[in-house]
Amino acid sequence: VNICLTCSHTVQHSLSQLCAVMVKHETPDRWPALLQLLNQSTKSSNSHDRQVGLLLLNKVVDSNPEPFKPHYCQLLQLFSTVLQDHNNPTALYYCILTLTAITAYTGSEEMNQMRSIIPSLIIALKHLIMADQDQASEAMEVFNELMESEVSIIVPHVADIVRFCLEVGVECLDSLRVKALSCIAFLIKLKSKTVLKQKLLNPILQAIFPVLTAVPPAGEQDPEDEEDDSGDGTDNDNPKHCAAQVRKSFITIIDTMALHMPPEKLFQQVMPFAQTCLASENPYQRKGGLMCLAVLAEGCADHIRTKMLSSMLQTVCQSLSDSNQVVRSAGLFALGQFSEYLQPEVSKYCAELMPLLLGYLSSLNQAKAGHVTKAFYALENFMENLGSDIEPYLPTLMETMLSALNNTENLKIKELAVSAIGAIANAAKELLVPYFTPVIESLKGFLTTTTEEMRSLQTQSLDTLSVLARTVGKDVFSPLAAECVRLGLNLTDTIDDPDLRRCTYSLYSAVSTVSPDCLTPHLTAITTVMLLALKSNEGITEDKTFVLLDDDDDDENEEEEKDAEDFLEDETEADVHDVAGFSVENAYIDEKEDACDALGEIAFNTGHLLYSCICLVPVPALQKLLDVVLPCFLETVRTEHERQVVMGVLESMNGIIKSCKEEVFRNPSRLKEVSHVIRDVLKKKCLLLVFQAEYDAMLQEFAGEGIPLVTSSVPADQFAPFLNDLLPLIMSKAKSSCTVADRSFSVGTIGEILDALVNVSGGQRVAGRLSNRLLPVLVAGVKDSDPEVRNNSVFALGCLAQAAGPIVVSDYPMMLSVFSNLLAKESDLRVIDNLCAALCRMIMSNVDAVPLEQACSHFTPPVKLIFNITMNLYSLQTQPITKIWRFCSLFCLLSAENQNALAMLMKELAQHHLADFQAAVSSLPAEQQAKLSAAISAL
């Protein structure tokens, strides 16, 4: 080992790497000569020896950090000294890399030492930047590792780190700037409150906007802004210039702010910058302002929808008519973002926006590919939420899309048109039937292609075919169902492509909604492929990071590197710690997600699935399937790092519980497993990379939706212990400080849980025990400023009354008083209708506890309440129908107009339930009987 100190640079690297391999199998404590050499060399007065010692230390520690843990405190003392050696940048470089390697393994005993190193680390990085920016870019990873492993170490130094990264982000090479800006974005994700508290938001914005809005150097424009754009429109996702990556990084920071910071505080500081840009004569400043508005739409959706949609949308619409294509391109992107995230409110501006979008698509062959891509993006997101409002535009839209499919040579435009037809179908549904035949004829050639250049168009065609199966109606699509299944099987048999398989899963799932019998002969093959996709490691790449030499020496030392790689071939697969990391291709993640979705829906739609997925006959088919699928789902939720996959799994699991109910929980351990997975998602304890505010809400909604499904599937007393753990997590989102979406989700989920308790064994006891905890939350929700929260709270109160029954009758006066106060000022018809339903449930639970005359006095006309209550009670059908005719006693209290309306309702119901009607009327006083009979006879 001592030879390492005296040999050439190349040999030093080779020997260091050899030692690294040996340390994987021989722990340092059993190799005292290595420790002695490291101790001597790293503390040597000779700068070259220190440099070589730190190189060796880096290689051996990086290869196997954990066995060095007893020496961490000593190493940190060494690092603290080395980081002061500003004249030896190579030593700084290896020191920081070694610090990065041990960060994930440090414990509480090293925390204070780690914190004390941060100021020296920042200064050392500044000196390393001056010496070698490529090495500095690699060394910057230390901040990401610190944030991922133990963010509390850097919290006291957040301001210094942000200022340092902003300096780097403005002044250095593009690759280093991207790394520094990514660090800021990561820090905002993890510690947004600290960033706000230390007043760092404004300095960040001051640094961002000048770079974001600067005119790009010649030849470094964003791809969609270049005059000679002749590509396929995909460059927007992969900018070909480093400068474009830097601008993208600045945009990412604003996007991250929107996802993780309170909208009110963010908008207060970001909007002055954006408005200044939008008012500028410089097109790149106007573009920067529009890009800012665009990325705010996702994270701040509720704030924009409720407080500033009209003004922001007006700004975007004006940009679409701008004289500069740079601005128009940004405006299209912003409109697409608005259409995706600000629904349904943005659809109200259909008359203003559709002509603008159709204008962009009027000359597809002449338009720039980048602009066409953004126009389609905006159009698709906007159309999918129009519903029947799309009808006036349908002829023009379909003529444009069919023309693109049949007359355009550009494959990218064909792909965009196929995708747009799917969006049109989602909105138009049966209105698309007149165009169905020409669409299918156009798609056939794309669906069966085997050429690689057509693959993207083929997969998009499969996706659109799935949408058509769900939207045009069973009568129209059923004749094609069997052919679609055969198509999918043929494609997966002949083409190995995760995107294509993903699309076939969606197609099978769609066919199951139209003609499930067509799947029956093929279910074993179909479900086997999907389960294999969920379990597969395909697409996961090991990062061995076995770099023998510096980049500068690569060319002249290829043989040595090859020899070293051959030396490693006998490493066993079990040595997981040998792998520095794993990367998973997105296509395989998408395949897993769609496999989950499809399994859930096929299980819901296809009873035969239970008998085609098993080989061992003695075991019941359903339980066999559940024993395979559910453990896979639960493990995926706990360990998957991709948020979209987890959401897909939760949605599929909910579908299976909804379909199979108590069968899911026949395995005694499954109720606990499912409940704990739901709990962990709600508590953010799953192994997701980084939680993001907007996606957190979506993820937790998927988890929350599972609670009422489980509630309806098992006896209440059996689920009660788990429900007691889960309810506080749901109730915590009902606080006034939470977002509207969270409050609505909270009280809505509580309502669904209580509704489920109505029909399960022991539900009344459990609901009664919960009533004291839930009543204050729901009453507060009835007084909420948002109509959706009020609506869900009223629904939940009605469900509580029905589920708990006589246990909450003593609370009726308070509940009726709350409803009375609400009615005095409520204008939202949904809330009023739900209030009628709540009163129905209260009356059903105890008809004598509700003063009907007093309740009706609050409605104008009161017959609306009577009609709604009567029809709701009748539809619920949980008590003898004679209870409904209790309302007949109100007849004489009404005005002549309302008496006539009620009489018409009574006559309609009496025709179908004469015996019940006669029994109810006979219970009335003689005078009321006569008046009611006379009124009905007069109709």
Side-chain angles (χ1 to χ4, degrees):
V1 175
N2 285 291
I3 300 174
C4 194
L5 295 175
T6 59
C7 58
S8 69
H9 179 67
T10 299
V11 177
Q12 286 169 357
H13 272 265
S14 299
L15 289 174
S16 298
Q17 195 68 65
L18 177 60
C19 292
V21 174
M22 295 174 68
V23 165
K24 292 179 181 180
H25 305 282
E26 189 71 49
T27 60
D29 287 342
R30 296 180 61 184
W31 193 0
L34 173 66
L35 292 176
Q36 183 179 2
L37 174 63
L38 289 172
N39 188 52
Q40 291 175 353
S41 60
T42 56
K43 296 178 182 178
S44 171
S45 59
N46 184 298
S47 62
H48 174 265
D49 288 353
R50 290 200 307 276
Q51 178 179 311
V52 176
L54 288 163
L55 162 65
L56 178 60
L57 178 65
N58 171 238
K59 297 301 181 184
V60 296
V61 171
D62 191 48
S63 70
N64 197 6
E66 200 161 9
F68 285 88
K69 191 171 176 56
H71 308 280
Y72 279 4
C73 289
Q74 184 181 353
L75 286 175
L76 289 170
Q77 290 174 357
L78 170 67
F79 297 157
S80 181
T81 301
V82 173
L83 290 172
Q84 313 295 326
D85 190 4
H86 301 152
N87 294 322
N88 194 341
T90 303
L92 295 177
Y93 170 64
Y94 289 122
C95 173
I96 296 172
L97 292 189
T98 312
L99 176 62
T100 305
I102 72 169
T103 295
Y105 300 88
T106 54
S108 56
E109 62 272 20
E110 294 95 14
M111 292 278 282
N112 289 333
Q113 280 183 284
M114 294 282 281
R115 286 195 190 95
S116 66
I117 282 177
I118 302 301
S120 298
L121 175 64
I122 294 173
I123 296 171
L125 281 167
K126 290 180 179 180
H127 283 84
L128 186 55
I129 288 170
M130 290 186 287
D132 189 324
Q133 292 199 14
D134 289 330
Q135 286 189 345
S137 178
E138 186 179 356
M140 284 282 290
E141 285 292 333
V142 68
F143 289 130
N144 285 340
E145 191 65 36
L146 284 165
M147 286 187 281
E148 284 184 348
S149 303
E150 188 51 73
V151 71
S152 63
I153 291 173
I154 66 170
V155 168
H157 310 285
V158 164
D160 292 334
I161 293 173
V162 168
R163 281 191 284 268
F164 165 66
C165 289
L166 287 176
E167 291 175 10
V168 175
V170 172
E171 299 173 359
C172 296
L173 290 177
D174 287 338
S175 60
L176 186 56
R177 294 170 74 190
V178 170
K179 188 67 66 71
L181 296 172
S182 299
C183 181
I184 293 176
F186 200 2
L187 193 56
I188 292 171
K189 287 179 184 179
L190 297 176
K191 286 293 174 183
S192 59
K193 290 182 180 178
T194 304
V195 171
L196 287 171
K197 186 176 181 180
Q198 298 195 21
K199 303 187 184 302
L200 297 172
L201 178 54
N202 192 261
I204 294 174
L205 293 172
Q206 285 180 337
I208 284 176
F209 271 88
V211 180
L212 182 63
T213 60
V215 178
E220 295 193 14
Q221 292 89 352
D222 291 340
E224 71 271 17
D225 296 337
E226 294 180 7
E227 294 292 342
D228 61 346
D229 173 35
S230 57
D232 62 2
T234 61
D235 283 340
N236 297 334
D237 295 328
N238 299 290
K240 52 191 175 183
H241 302 300
C242 288
Q245 285 282 16
V246 173
R247 290 190 290 276
K248 186 176 180 181
S249 297
F250 279 113
I251 285 291
T252 300
I253 290 178
I254 298 177
D255 187 24
T256 307
M257 290 175 176
L259 287 166
H260 297 276
M261 290 182 172
E264 293 80 4
K265 294 182 179 180
L266 177 59
F267 270 71
Q268 184 180 7
Q269 298 200 44
V270 78
M271 286 309 291
F273 289 96
Q275 289 165 349
T276 300
C277 292
L278 292 167
S280 172
E281 294 294 323
N282 185 324
Y284 281 94
Q285 290 199 357
R286 298 202 297 279
K287 173 187 176 177
L290 288 165
M291 295 297 288
C292 178
L293 297 185
V295 297
L296 289 171
E298 181 181 5
C300 301
D302 286 342
H303 182 80
I304 296 172
R305 277 199 305 262
T306 56
K307 297 185 178 179
M308 49 199 317
L309 177 58
S310 179
S311 60
M312 288 179 69
L313 200 55
Q314 183 180 6
T315 299
V316 172
C317 287
Q318 289 173 352
S319 72
L320 298 181
S321 304
D322 197 280
S323 59
N324 192 292
Q325 71 175 10
V326 169
V327 180
R328 295 197 301 273
S329 178
L332 283 170
F333 175 68
L335 183 56
Q337 290 282 104
F338 282 19
S339 300
E340 183 171 1
Y341 298 113
L342 303 181
Q343 295 291 350
E345 286 79 2
V346 74
S347 293
K348 298 174 184 176
Y349 297 86
C350 176
E352 293 86 350
L353 295 176
M354 281 299 289
L356 292 171
L357 291 171
L358 290 173
Y360 260 92
L361 299 176
S362 59
S363 55
L364 292 175
N365 285 318
Q366 291 76 38
K368 290 164 58 66
H371 282 230
V372 172
T373 300
K374 289 184 177 177
F376 270 104
Y377 166 63
L379 181 70
E380 282 195 36
N381 286 318
F382 190 73
M383 286 190 305
E384 285 198 338
N385 295 279
L386 286 182
S388 59
D389 290 341
I390 199 174
E391 187 171 10
Y393 309 100
L394 199 52
T396 303
L397 283 167
M398 291 309 299
E399 180 183 355
T400 302
M401 301 310 156
L402 289 170
S403 174
L405 294 183
N406 299 321
N407 303 322
T408 304
E409 295 299 323
N410 189 306
L411 292 181
K412 181 62 179 180
I413 290 180
K414 287 180 182 288
E415 182 185 338
L416 292 169
V418 170
S419 179
I421 289 173
I424 294 168
N426 273 325
K429 295 185 170 52
E430 288 85 355
L431 294 172
L432 197 70
V433 169
Y435 307 95
F436 180 70
T437 300
V439 167
I440 292 297
E441 290 300 316
S442 297
L443 294 183
K444 280 183 178 178
F446 311 146
L447 290 167
T448 56
T449 183
T450 56
T451 62
E452 190 63 34
E453 65 174 3
M454 296 277 284
R455 186 75 66 241
S456 182
L457 178 55
Q458 182 182 38
T459 55
Q460 184 57 65
S461 298
L462 284 167
D463 275 341
T464 295
L465 186 62
S466 301
V467 174
L468 292 170
R470 297 176 185 276
T471 53
V472 297
K474 293 183 179 181
D475 293 341
V476 176
F477 198 88
S478 289
L480 295 178
E483 186 179 351
C484 288
V485 176
R486 289 194 297 270
L487 169 69
L489 291 170
N490 289 336
L491 289 174
T492 52
D493 282 345
T494 56
I495 301 172
D496 181 14
D497 184 279
D499 276 326
L500 185 138
R501 289 195 297 270
R502 171 188 65 78
C503 294
T504 63
Y505 305 157
S506 297
L507 182 59
Y508 302 144
S509 184
V511 168
S512 76
T513 68
V514 176
S515 182
D517 290 343
C518 291
L519 293 172
T520 302
H522 312 288
L523 279 171
T524 300
I526 289 171
T527 54
T528 298
V529 171
M530 288 191 279
L531 289 171
L532 286 173
L534 287 174
K535 296 179 179 180
S536 172
N537 291 328
E538 194 173 8
I540 299 178
T541 305
E542 295 182 1
D543 180 11
K544 290 286 188 182
T545 60
F546 184 81
V547 181
L548 213 117
L549 307 170
D550 283 344
D551 292 341
D552 294 340
D553 300 322
D554 282 349
D555 294 337
E556 59 186 275
N557 294 285
E558 288 180 356
E559 287 303 316
E560 288 98 324
E561 186 168 349
K562 184 179 185 305
D563 291 342
E565 289 172 351
D566 293 340
F567 178 73
L568 283 180
E569 285 181 354
D570 63 353
E571 296 288 310
T572 64
E573 290 183 2
D575 288 336
V576 178
H577 63 269
D578 292 353
V579 180
F582 296 93
S583 61
V584 186
E585 294 179 35
N586 286 339
Y588 292 96
I589 293 172
D590 293 341
E591 183 187 2
K592 291 175 185 291
E593 181 185 349
D594 280 18
C596 291
D597 291 341
L599 276 171
E601 188 165 19
I602 291 171
F604 184 75
N605 292 322
T606 313
H608 300 294
L609 175 67
L610 311 178
Y611 304 102
S612 61
C613 294
I614 84 167
C615 299
L616 302 175
V617 178
V619 182
L622 175 56
Q623 287 304 312
K624 181 66 176 178
L625 174 64
L626 294 175
D627 286 342
V628 173
V629 174
L630 279 175
C632 184
F633 281 6
L634 294 169
E635 180 67 15
T636 302
V637 174
R638 289 194 182 283
T639 60
E640 176 58 55
H641 288 268
E642 286 293 332
R643 187 175 288 97
Q644 295 293 333
V645 174
V646 176
M647 287 192 284
V649 170
L650 288 171
E651 187 175 23
S652 296
M653 188 168 71
N654 289 344
I656 289 176
I657 296 173
K658 183 177 181 180
S659 173
C660 302
K661 292 191 177 296
E662 67 275 3
E663 295 296 330
V664 173
F665 302 102
R666 288 205 184 279
N667 184 324
S669 64
R670 197 161 282 142
L671 178 60
K672 178 180 179 180
E673 292 168 351
V674 171
S675 300
H676 284 181
V677 159
I678 294 173
R679 178 200 64 190
D680 290 347
V681 175
L682 292 174
K683 294 177 75 171
K684 303 182 182 180
K685 283 191 173 180
C686 295
L687 294 180
L688 299 176
L689 289 176
V690 179
F691 278 87
Q692 296 178 352
E694 188 78 7
Y695 293 115
D696 280 1
M698 294 170 61
L699 230 154
Q700 294 185 327
E701 283 184 23
F702 279 116
E705 287 169 6
I707 302 175
L709 293 172
V710 178
T711 306
S712 65
S713 303
V714 295
D717 291 330
Q718 189 177 343
F719 186 46
F722 304 107
L723 188 58
N724 282 331
D725 289 339
L726 294 170
L727 264 179
L729 302 174
I730 299 295
M731 293 166 63
S732 67
K733 297 182 180 299
K735 298 175 182 177
S736 58
S737 57
C738 295
T739 65
V740 169
D742 278 346
R743 301 199 305 273
S744 176
F745 161 70
S746 174
V747 293
T749 302
I750 291 171
E752 295 290 346
I753 293 168
L754 291 167
D755 191 36
L757 286 172
V758 171
N759 298 310
V760 295
S761 170
Q764 187 176 97
R765 289 192 303 275
V766 172
R769 291 201 298 267
L770 295 173
S771 60
N772 287 337
R773 296 163 61 189
L774 296 179
L775 266 172
V777 175
L778 300 179
V779 169
V782 173
K783 301 174 183 178
D784 197 276
S785 59
D786 184 82
E788 185 177 345
V789 179
R790 296 197 300 275
N791 189 50
N792 288 350
S793 300
V794 168
F795 164 74
L797 275 176
C799 292
L800 177 60
Q802 186 182 6
I807 300 174
V808 294
V809 166
S810 61
D811 296 304
Y812 271 28
M814 180 272 292
M815 294 167 66
L816 291 170
S817 174
V818 169
F819 287 165
S820 175
N821 293 333
L822 175 64
L823 280 170
K825 53 188 177 182
E826 185 58 63
S827 58
D828 192 293
L829 295 179
R830 297 174 305 164
V831 179
I832 295 172
D833 285 343
N834 235 335
L835 197 149
C836 293
L839 284 173
C840 292
R841 295 174 185 273
M842 294 173 70
I843 293 163
M844 186 184 314
S845 178
N846 194 320
V847 69
D848 296 320
V850 179
L852 296 177
E853 294 83 354
Q854 179 183 349
C856 287
S857 68
H858 292 286
F859 282 80
T860 305
V863 73
K864 174 179 174 62
L865 173 63
I866 297 169
F867 177 83
N868 278 280
I869 290 179
T870 303
M871 293 307 294
N872 276 283
L873 278 174
Y874 178 69
S875 67
L876 291 169
Q877 295 180 347
T878 59
Q879 289 197 353
I881 200 164
T882 51
K883 286 285 184 76
I884 297 173
W885 310 115
R886 167 84 163 77
F887 293 100
C888 293
S889 63
L890 295 173
F891 180 80
C892 297
L893 302 176
L894 303 177
S895 65
E897 177 185 357
N898 289 330
Q899 281 183 346
N900 186 57
L902 179 59
M904 292 176 66
L905 174 63
M906 295 296 105
K907 182 177 180 179
E908 175 69 22
L909 293 174
Q911 289 175 351
H912 297 90
H913 304 280
L914 181 59
D916 289 323
F917 175 72
Q918 289 175 341
V921 172
S922 65
S923 66
L924 299 176
E927 182 181 354
Q928 291 188 19
Q929 288 186 40
K931 287 187 176 183
L932 181 58
S933 298
I936 293 175
S937 300
L939 296 174

